[in-house]
Amino acid sequence: RPPRSTLFPYTTLFRSAFSLGNVFGRLGAGWASDVVEVSFGAPRSVFLTFGGAMSAVSMAALAGGDETASSPRMFSAVGVGLAEGTVMSSWTAIVRRSFGAERFGLNLAVYNFAMAIGSGVLNGLAAAATETEDEGEEVHNLRVVFWFAAIACAVAAVVGVVATRILRERTRGWGTR
């Protein structure tokens, strides 16, 4: 089996790109969701939808990209980081608004716990599904996992569109809090 550095030679760079995307996603979406909610009366779920869509596009680029080219993988690393940052900043505000300050910590902890469990289980399944001694087969298996992730994120974005429409109808006339 070739060393991991042959198959994924820029791992440290990709992790850094993801982390920077995550930071800028949190800051940018946090600021933008305040502006959009206050100025335009749109619910923050718009940003959950955007995060899901950005993640879907990033995963599709990773799944369909040339495994020897670093550009699609770099785009994906930044895109997934931005998407996660967007979702995290928006979700926190949505939990606070939906459940209030009294139960905010508990509800946010439940969300974070569920995310950690889901991430651990799904990452474990993905690792088991892609593990093989044959590099070509491993690349194929990774593509399948990333296409699955892209489709799941696209479905999440569609759910976000529906949730945004429902929230818009419910909050019409309420104003912002």
Side-chain angles (χ1 to χ4, degrees), residues 19-148:
S19 296
L20 286 172
N22 194 309
V23 167
F24 287 113
R26 287 175 191 237
L27 293 172
W31 171 79
S33 67
D34 287 344
V35 170
V36 167
E37 184 179 49
V38 171
S39 299
F40 303 104
R44 291 178 197 262
S45 59
V46 167
F47 289 87
L48 294 177
T49 303
F50 174 77
M54 174 63 111
S55 193
V57 168
S58 298
M59 290 293 179
L62 191 56
D66 178 7
E67 68 264 13
T68 62
S70 63
S71 295
R73 289 184 286 174
M74 187 60 70
F75 167 80
S76 296
V78 171
V80 171
L82 284 169
E84 183 170 321
T86 298
V87 167
M88 291 303 292
S89 69
S90 302
W91 186 254
T92 303
I94 290 169
V95 168
R96 170 73 181 228
R97 182 164 182 168
S98 297
F99 300 105
E102 185 178 322
R103 301 263 187 251
F104 171 72
L106 176 62
N107 286 304
L108 190 61
V110 168
Y111 164 74
N112 287 331
F113 177 74
M115 185 173 60
I117 295 297
S119 179
V121 169
L122 293 177
N123 286 337
L125 289 173
T130 59
E131 186 63 32
T132 179
E133 295 296 319
D134 181 299
E135 185 176 332
E137 187 179 343
E138 185 172 16
V139 169
H140 168 75
N141 293 347
L142 285 167
R143 287 184 189 280
V144 170
V145 167
F146 290 132
W147 278 121
F148 178 78

